[in-house]
Amino acid sequence: MALYAFLGAAAAGLAGAGVLWLIRRRSLTASLAVVAAVAVCAMLAGTLVVAWAMFLSSHDLYVVTTVVAMAAVVSLATALLLGRWVVARSRALTLAARSFGEGGDFAAPAGPATAELSALSRELAATSRKLAESRDRERALETSRRELVAWISHDLRTPLAGLRAMSEALEDGVAADPDRYLRQMRTEVERLNAMVGDLFELSRIHAGALALSPSRVSVYDLVGDALAGADPLAREHGVRLVGDRVDQVPIEVDGKEMSRVLGNLLVNAIRRTPADGTVAVTAERSDTGVVLSVTDGCGGIPEEDLPRVFDTGWRGTHARTPPAGAGLGLAIVRGIVEAHSGRAAVHNVPGGCRFEVTLPMAAGL
């Protein structure tokens, strides 16, 4: 009997598998209906084969067939309703996914759903959040790029106009003091050269092509060299440089690039500190590494501007003309520091702001 039942059910199952293969690209409703029909038909085929083998009476066979047929009708109706519900949820999910694909935010359809569709909704919601964050970053970068282009164009136009005017004056022989004109032209050329150098450095950082040659150096020597290099500019602006709290801690860094970091921070601090002000440099060991800090007397940065300080092209709302620069110095600082697996930060302190660079300590300490 078991063999007869198995053979009848197997025949129905094979037929159902063939139908499923033929409609594999159709809707889920059709597939569910076929699955339900296969289950009922397999039971019906097995029952009929067993009934025939047992030589049931025609009345008993009719009763068995009728019961199985009613079960098949109910199963098919249930499968169709379930399929329509699942398909409706799937279509609603498709429409919701299309919204965030077109630049909107994903919102999961209301109402109950199967565990698989609920998991898919959560994944789509997570993807939507990541896309929104990516779009925000892209807009911020585009805004920064446009500001940088505008400011660079302005800063290039000013010295170029001056060079043109002075060269024409020298060419026409109307310069009252040619030597002064030549000195001024040299100054403008040096400014242009520094600006082009900053742009080249920033492009290397953004392209991930900044090649570092780390070696073990003393923070004390690094800060001392940076203070010595910035001393002439500090004297010109009447600013005092203080570097008392500097620990002699070795770090593994590229000395040339890190000197540029400290130089940029010191120049930025000196230019924004009023005469008779103080710029203090410290270097201390901490739980997270070695913290180099430069504190100025600029009066502080508006809280809403603090997150943008290290952005490319940022110069603050009051800095639009030279010698403020093109807004590349702090962006270069962050790029070099992050290339050393460190981090750069800024926060306000009484009377000014404090720029901090945290670097990992040399191995073995």
Side-chain angles (χ1 to χ4, degrees), residues 82-99:
L82 177 61
R84 289 176 62 86
W85 177 75
V86 172
V87 169
R89 290 290 303 174
S90 177
R91 288 175 179 172
L93 196 59
T94 300
L95 293 175
R98 186 180 302 165
S99 66

Side-chain angles (χ1 to χ4, degrees), residues 6-146:
F6 173 77
L7 291 176
L14 290 175
V19 174
L20 284 175
W21 173 259
L22 293 175
I23 66 170
R24 63 187 183 278
R25 300 185 185 277
R26 302 292 295 276
S27 67
L28 183 61
T29 302
S31 298
L32 288 175
V34 171
V35 169
V38 167
V40 174
C41 291
M43 182 181 63
L44 177 60
T47 302
L48 292 177
V49 170
V50 171
W52 174 79
M54 293 177 64
F55 300 100
L56 294 177
S57 65
S58 59
H59 177 269
D60 293 341
L61 185 60
Y62 174 77
V63 171
V64 171
T65 304
T66 302
V67 171
V68 174
M70 292 300 102
V73 171
V74 174
S75 299
L76 288 175
T78 303
L80 290 174
L81 289 175
L82 177 61
R84 289 176 62 86
W85 177 75
V86 172
V87 169
R89 290 290 303 174
S90 177
R91 288 175 179 172
L93 196 59
T94 300
L95 293 175
R98 186 180 302 165
S99 66
F100 85 82
E102 295 172 350
D105 293 328
F106 175 79
T114 63
E116 291 79 8
L117 291 179
S118 297
L120 180 58
S121 295
R122 290 192 295 270
E123 291 297 327
L124 289 174
T127 303
S128 176
R129 287 192 297 270
K130 293 177 181 178
L131 284 176
E133 294 172 358
S134 177
R135 286 194 294 266
D136 291 340
R137 287 194 300 269
E138 184 178 352
R139 282 193 291 266
L141 289 173
E142 180 64 18
T143 300
S144 177
R145 185 190 66 80
R146 290 180 179 178

Side-chain angles (χ1 to χ4, degrees), residues 10 17 24 33 37 47 63 93 102 113 125 167 169 185 223 231 247 252-253 278 287 338:
R24 63 187 183 278
T47 302
V63 171
L93 196 59
E102 295 172 350
S167 63
M185 291 174 68
V223 173
D231 185 65
D247 294 342
E252 292 278 349
V253 296
T278 300
D287 296 336
E338 291 179 351

Side-chain angles (χ1 to χ4, degrees), residues 103-275:
D105 293 328
F106 175 79
T114 63
E116 291 79 8
L117 291 179
S118 297
L120 180 58
S121 295
R122 290 192 295 270
E123 291 297 327
L124 289 174
T127 303
S128 176
R129 287 192 297 270
K130 293 177 181 178
L131 284 176
E133 294 172 358
S134 177
R135 286 194 294 266
D136 291 340
R137 287 194 300 269
E138 184 178 352
R139 282 193 291 266
L141 289 173
E142 180 64 18
T143 300
S144 177
R145 185 190 66 80
R146 290 180 179 178
E147 291 178 352
L148 175 62
V149 170
W151 293 344
I152 286 290
S153 300
H154 176 272
D155 290 350
L156 287 175
R157 188 181 298 114
T158 301
L160 287 175
L163 287 171
R164 179 178 180 179
M166 288 184 286
S167 63
E168 289 177 350
L170 290 172
E171 184 180 5
D172 296 338
V174 298
D177 188 354
D179 291 338
R180 184 176 66 85
Y181 274 49
L182 292 173
R183 289 193 298 271
Q184 185 63 29
M185 291 174 68
R186 180 181 178 85
T187 300
E188 297 296 337
V189 169
E190 289 177 350
R191 280 181 49 202
L192 289 173
N193 183 67
M195 192 180 304
V196 171
D198 286 345
L199 286 171
F200 179 70
E201 182 79 359
L202 194 63
S203 68
R204 288 200 303 161
I205 292 173
H206 287 172
L210 183 62
L212 300 177
S213 300
S215 60
R216 179 169 293 207
V217 298
S218 171
V219 174
Y220 185 85
D221 295 336
L222 199 64
V223 173
D225 293 342
L227 290 173
D231 185 65
L233 181 64
R235 291 179 181 274
E236 179 183 345
H237 286 75
V239 175
R240 294 186 299 275
L241 291 179
V242 178
D244 295 335
R245 293 162 43 200
V246 180
D247 294 342
Q248 296 191 22
V249 182
I251 53 177
E252 292 278 349
V253 296
D254 187 311
K256 178 182 177 181
E257 297 295 342
M258 198 52 57
S259 295
R260 182 163 194 163
V261 166
L262 289 175
N264 285 357
L265 291 177
L266 285 172
V267 169
N268 183 72
I270 292 170
R271 286 177 173 171
R272 282 161 176 76
T273 299

